[in-house]
Amino acid sequence: MSAEEKASVAQDSVAAPVVVRVRRPALAESRWVRRLLIAAALVFLALFLLLPLVAVFVQAFQKGFAAYWEALVEPDAVAAIRLTLLVAAIAVPLNLVFGVAASWCIAKFDFRGKHLLTTLIDLPFSVSPVISGLVFVLLFGLHGVLGPFLKSQGIQIVFALPGLVLATVFVTFPFVARELIPLMHEQGCDEEEAALVLGASGWQTFWHVTLPNIKWGLLYGVLLSNARAMGEFGAVSVVSGHIRGETNTMPLHVEILYNEYNFVAAFAVASLLALLALVTLAAKTALEWRFGAELAALKRH
Amino acid sequence: MTIRATGITKRFGSYTALDSVDLTVEPGELLALLGPSGSGKTTLLRILAGLEFPDTGHLELDGIDALEASPRERKVGFVFQHYALFRHMTVFDNVAFGLKIRPRAERLPADAIRRRVEDLLELVQLAPFAKRYPTQLSGGQRQRVALARALAIEPKVLLLDEPFGALDAKVRKELRRWLRSLHQEMHITSVFVTHDQEEALELADRVVVMSQGRIEQIGTPDAVYDRPASRFVFDFLGQVNRLPCAVSGGVARLAGGALTVPAVGDPAQGDAVAFVRPHDLGLVPDGAGLAQVTAVTTVGPMARVELALAGETLEAEMPRGQWAGLGLAPGARCGLAIEQVRVFPR
């Protein structure tokens, strides 16, 4: 714009009558649209998340705290809680290792069949959990492919802890890997290469460079994986055999109690699972809140 | 350190990134690998560092077969194009990394490492930034951290991949000068990759011009600029005017024979192309001259003059004062004064 044009524009703006208009950024919706959207979201949340959660606790405490406590310390319930914790304690670390290994090789290397592997990692999400469980029964069950051999060796997998762990590992496998692959992909290999040239060994590179860069993503993945591992029903139900006090995990125990019309006990155990979900959410939020700046810094770089 | 690469070939699938490249880097020199993208210069640098391995060829560092050696054993300092600083570490920890991860037997004591890192940060003028994270630094500062980190392991050779590529023009110029003086102080054998001819010509002791996986020419900046070995080198090292001509007996006849100029270069006879740089194209005010001024633009202190000569468009470049002194304007005719042209076969 030439100096003359500028001057004429300046004059125009002085001469023009002052019009006060409410301006809003191009992307902002009007107030009513905003309120409507927020209200819709809140109603949905209340109906589908909050209400069931409240219902669980209301049912659990229907006959007072004593009955609630009774249901939790009853031997079968304790066994179920223990088994659930044990399965998670085995399955989650396994998935941590597998997940990191899988995302490492997918994000940092190029090889034939990479896309296939990426798709396969998502398989547990796309397959019905019941099928996932059934696969293990067909493989390791008494009439399964490996059944006779395992029986002759005195190894029991299905209807025992190993089967529960296998089914849980399978179902929760994608959580860690899916969290890490995009993260590692975005970060690329530059820092690893820099570490190698500076003389770091492969292990040092992983420990000092790769792991610190993915630790928050990894923690997310582990949290989600853990929540699912403790809450998994379908696949575990198939391989469990529902032996009370032995192969019953918490979700299965809830089902048994419910089918026996023992609503207070069923909801008492269910409330523990609900609590787990809340703790997981709280931990995730706390991480984001506490280390938000650091997380952002990692992503920004 | 002397680097001797012979017959280096590298293919990525069906694409040949390097095609039997021979290169010797003398101890203490600052060498530029110059070429357009896809010329193989970065691949060559990565092979020197041990980040990439050639399909065929030999690489010797100080007479020792380097292809058998890991990056750690090669003792190279590598500065990455986008710095590749460890984002979760402070500036101090970034620079200290190479020292801290050495095997216990070779590792310096902790306070010696600290002193060394502090000295290096002093050297790259970043001492006050030791506790910052890479994201809290500007591009130029990150670049210097990357350099300090590479120098920390006392490398025998320093490799830099597009060291100034991601910086703005002013910072680039400063850093360039600073790197030049640093090299003069430390005399460490250095190889840097660039696609910017000005950078290569200003900074390097010798320039290696590359194209499509091959080395086109190796020489001092003056040599490659003044005596380009091929039309690619002539083209790549600066602006150029190309004119069809006929050559005989060391003389090029331009513009259909109306203009004769001494020809050097390829001993071509007959039809050829004459190359002449805009600043070698002199103008003489002449109302009946061969050329006609069609447009003028001034860029800073220089005037760029567009000319028409026998159906061809030419560009001449000269200081603004000189242009004003000629008293020419668009539309005016003028004569051309060309000392010599470099000819290549058509």
Side-chain angles (χ1 to χ4, degrees), chain B residues 15 34 36 44 84 94 125-126 158 179 185 191 206 222 242 256 258 293 297 317:
Chain B
Y15 172 71
L34 173 69
L44 183 56
N94 261 283
Q125 302 153 10
L126 283 174
L158 189 60
L179 186 71
E185 249 172 66
V191 180
R206 285 197 306 155
D222 288 347
R242 280 183 216 82
V293 177
T297 39
E317 196 179 72

Side-chain angles (χ1 to χ4, degrees), chain A residues 186-188 190-201 204-205 208-210 212-213 297-301, chain B residues 46 49 51 71-72 76-78 80 82 84-89 94 97-98 101-102 134-135 142 149-150 153:
Chain A
E186 191 199 312
Q187 290 177 351
D190 280 8
E191 290 182 45
E192 275 84 4
E193 286 186 340
L196 286 179
V197 175
L198 287 169
S201 64
Q204 282 174 321
T205 303
H208 294 295
V209 176
T210 309
N213 277 343
L298 285 182
K299 281 177 187 152
R300 208 169 42 220
H301 184 64
Chain B
R46 288 170 62 84
L51 291 170
R72 180 207 288 261
V76 297
F78 199 102
F80 290 81
H82 299 289
L85 296 179
F86 305 127
R87 64 193 93 186
H88 63 283
M89 293 184 201
N94 261 283
F97 183 83
I101 48 122
R102 278 184 187 165
T135 45
R142 286 183 204 180
R149 182 177 70 174
I153 58 168

Side-chain angles (χ1 to χ4, degrees), chain B residues 100-323:
Chain B
K100 281 184 180 167
I101 48 122
R102 278 184 187 165
R104 202 169 291 272
E106 300 167 28
R107 204 185 305 157
L108 295 167
D111 58 328
I113 290 181
R114 191 174 45 77
R115 269 201 307 278
R116 187 156 167 69
V117 173
E118 281 167 359
D119 287 348
L120 278 163
L121 288 179
E122 202 69 52
L123 178 75
V124 298
Q125 302 153 10
L126 283 174
F129 298 92
K131 290 207 170 69
R132 298 253 190 119
Y133 283 91
T135 45
Q136 297 165 321
L137 301 178
S138 72
Q141 290 169 334
R142 286 183 204 180
Q143 174 66 280
R144 283 180 280 151
V145 176
L147 196 62
R149 182 177 70 174
L151 291 173
I153 58 168
E154 297 182 297
K156 289 194 244 158
V157 53
L158 189 60
L159 307 174
L160 306 106
D161 186 8
E162 297 272 1
F164 314 109
L167 302 170
D168 58 67
K170 197 161 180 297
V171 180
R172 195 184 298 192
K173 213 151 199 170
E174 269 170 34
L175 261 181
R176 219 191 271 172
R177 217 160 280 156
W178 177 79
L179 186 71
R180 176 82 233 180
S181 64
L182 189 76
H183 180 261
Q184 271 160 2
E185 249 172 66
M186 304 187 45
H187 268 296
I188 178 171
T189 310
S190 308
V191 180
F192 73 100
V193 155
T194 181
H195 62 266
D196 181 340
Q197 19 92 9
E198 198 188 315
E199 200 168 287
L201 296 178
E202 181 184 329
L203 209 51
D205 296 321
R206 285 197 306 155
V207 178
V208 178
V209 186
M210 296 186 69
S211 162
Q212 296 180 336
R214 289 167 172 279
I215 291 179
E216 292 275 335
Q217 190 175 5
I218 305 179
T220 62
D222 288 347
V224 292
Y225 191 79
D226 295 336
R227 296 183 296 282
S230 67
R231 35 198 310 172
F232 172 83
V233 177
F234 205 122
D235 232 346
F236 194 71
L237 285 182
Q239 296 293 320
V240 69
N241 292 304
R242 280 183 216 82
L243 289 167
C245 66
V247 184
S248 62
V251 173
R253 282 165 220 288
L254 306 170
L259 187 65
T260 53
V261 181
V264 291
D266 221 299
Q269 296 290 328
D271 281 353
V273 182
F275 282 62
V276 59
R277 298 223 182 269
H279 56 77
D280 289 334
L281 201 58
L283 303 186
V284 188
D286 177 0
L290 286 169
Q292 186 178 24
V293 177
T294 50
V296 186
T297 39
T298 51
V299 181
M302 303 301 280
R304 284 191 195 145
V305 186
E306 215 173 275
L307 302 158
L309 172 73
E312 305 279 333
T313 304
L314 297 182
E315 197 182 273
E317 196 179 72
M318 66 194 76
R320 254 158 98 168
Q322 190 184 335
W323 167 248

